Amino acid sequence: MRVVSMQSKAKVYHREECRYAKKILPKNRMQLSSEAAEKAGYHICPYCDGMDALFRMKKEQILKYARKNHMEVDLLNHVLYVRTDVGCWKMIYSMSEHRFLLYHKNYMQGVLSLDEVEEGAYHRQRDVPFSKSIEKYLFYISKHDAARKIEMIDYRLLPNRTKKEKRYFASARARSNRRSQRRLEELFTMIEQGA
């Protein structure tokens, strides 16, 4: 829900946690969905919309969760980057849709430096729905990377009970098979070159 002031000529709507929403007198305060507010001619508050604003409002909780789960979190050029020891993630906020998109880049050689996070290709993480919360994506990232670490040891150790787990298990098995095939081809190439 969004908060509007019925007496405001500026016609701005806010998130409930916005510092400006808290200044609206109770008698002038009304709650609407963002869609209803826009239909009524209101526009989003620039202070409480966008990645920078949303990160600023939840910064303490985000950084606490990140530290607890061994993540590095950085806000660069309106994009939130999350670095872990097995992957780098970026969250982009779509202001037109009021939700986040999650992108991912795998690596296996330890945490990327802050200078390296913007380089290289990311892919859209399609197995997780759009989110209206940074915290939901951080939770997803911690679970995903825990599974990735298990997969690096042996994919057969992954849980395989729910539909989602079965899908991940199958894709992990396929990745393992591709890696085995590549190793085998490399061995044959080495043998042929040595002969």
Side-chain angles (χ1 to χ4, degrees), residues 184-195:
L184 193 59
E185 289 170 4
E186 288 169 4
L187 282 171
F188 282 130
T189 302
M190 288 171 54
I191 292 169
E192 288 172 354
Q193 289 173 349

Side-chain angles (χ1 to χ4, degrees), residues 141-185:
I141 290 168
S142 68
K143 296 296 181 197
H144 177 281
D145 284 2
R148 193 85 169 113
K149 288 176 186 176
I150 293 169
E151 179 186 345
M152 289 171 12
I153 296 166
D154 185 349
Y155 78 89
R156 292 171 291 194
L157 300 173
L158 287 166
N160 192 9
R161 294 178 303 276
T162 67
K163 253 187 188 178
K164 193 171 191 174
E165 288 172 345
K166 287 178 182 186
R167 275 195 314 268
Y168 190 84
F169 186 89
S171 61
R173 180 178 50 225
R175 282 190 294 274
S176 178
N177 290 340
R178 284 192 301 270
R179 279 192 300 273
S180 295
Q181 184 65 35
R182 276 194 302 269
R183 282 194 300 269
L184 193 59
E185 289 170 4

Side-chain angles (χ1 to χ4, degrees), residues 67-84:
R67 277 190 302 274
K68 180 181 168 193
N69 291 281
H70 312 289
M71 300 172 176
E72 299 287 331
V73 177
D74 302 286
L75 183 64
L76 298 171
N77 302 321
H78 315 293
V79 176
L80 189 65
Y81 290 94
V82 180
R83 297 175 286 148
T84 68

